[in-house]
Amino acid sequence: SLLAAGLIGRGCAQGGPLSHLTPVSLTVAELLDHAVPEIPTLLVIDQFEESEQLPAADRARIFEILATLPGNVTCVVALAASSFGFALSDERFAAHLDSPVLLGPLTTHEYRQIIEVPANRHGRAVSQELIQMVLGDLHRYGDPSPGTILPLLSSAMRRCWRHARGQT
């Protein structure tokens, strides 16, 4: 995901802009029982919309935990657009949502890059037939949901890589 590979994987890597932070990635449920770290930390909470399904007491506790994070913790929360209204329901949390980073659906060109670039970086090419087949499958049932399709695409590309022979 963008958070795991980009923000944590590259941002927190040695020499990265966040290398001074220790990354911690938690689900909403894990946040309820997690001790607040004392070291400089990048706390990443993906799929924050899942908190909407929790009992009211747990939702209140989640917002309280986030509102009282110490200064040594930088928190990044990923939230589906359909749950943005829910996130605004807590004034303390809403105060931090005045300039969200919005990510729209991926374009066909971006999916093509996801398929081709990793292989290219290793000196290999991806056949146009495979690219067309994958792109066709991605859109077979309408616009793909990145949260669902990217892990599947990653798995499929890894399997293709393992079974590939030669430079293609």
Side-chain angles (χ1 to χ4, degrees):
S1 78
L2 177 63
L3 293 174
L7 185 65
I8 293 172
R10 289 190 180 221
C12 292
Q14 187 174 10
L18 304 174
S19 62
H20 62 288
L21 299 174
T22 299
V24 175
S25 183
L26 299 175
T27 66
V28 172
E30 291 169 336
L31 182 61
L32 289 168
D33 297 318
H34 187 73
V36 176
E38 295 181 15
I39 59 174
T41 301
L42 173 65
L43 176 61
V44 176
I45 304 166
D46 202 355
Q47 299 177 338
F48 186 74
E49 61 274 8
E50 291 176 358
S51 60
E52 202 170 356
Q53 305 306 315
L54 295 173
D58 287 345
R59 286 195 310 266
R61 194 159 155 244
I62 292 285
F63 282 125
E64 181 64 26
I65 291 168
L66 293 175
T68 59
L69 287 172
N72 63 300
V73 177
T74 299
C75 185
V76 174
V77 174
L79 173 69
S82 59
S83 293
F84 203 76
F86 160 74
L88 294 173
S89 67
D90 184 277
E91 289 179 14
R92 301 164 299 176
F93 192 74
H96 298 283
L97 297 176
D98 58 351
S99 57
V101 176
L102 302 176
L103 300 176
L106 295 169
T107 65
T108 299
H109 175 72
E110 289 167 325
Y111 280 116
R112 180 180 283 276
Q113 287 182 306
I114 290 169
I115 296 166
E116 287 183 291
V117 170
N120 295 160
R121 286 188 178 155
H122 290 276
R124 296 176 85 179
V126 180
S127 72
Q128 290 304 307
E129 295 82 6
L130 178 60
I131 293 170
Q132 291 308 314
M133 182 186 75
V134 171
L135 292 175
D137 284 351
L138 286 174
H139 294 92
R140 183 175 308 261
Y141 302 105
D143 286 333
S145 167
T148 303
I149 207 69
L150 289 177
L152 295 173
L153 180 57
S154 174
S155 177
M157 294 294 91
R158 267 196 218 94
R159 288 177 184 203
C160 288
W161 180 269
R162 279 196 304 265
H163 295 293
R165 301 292 177 253
Q167 294 302 308
T168 303

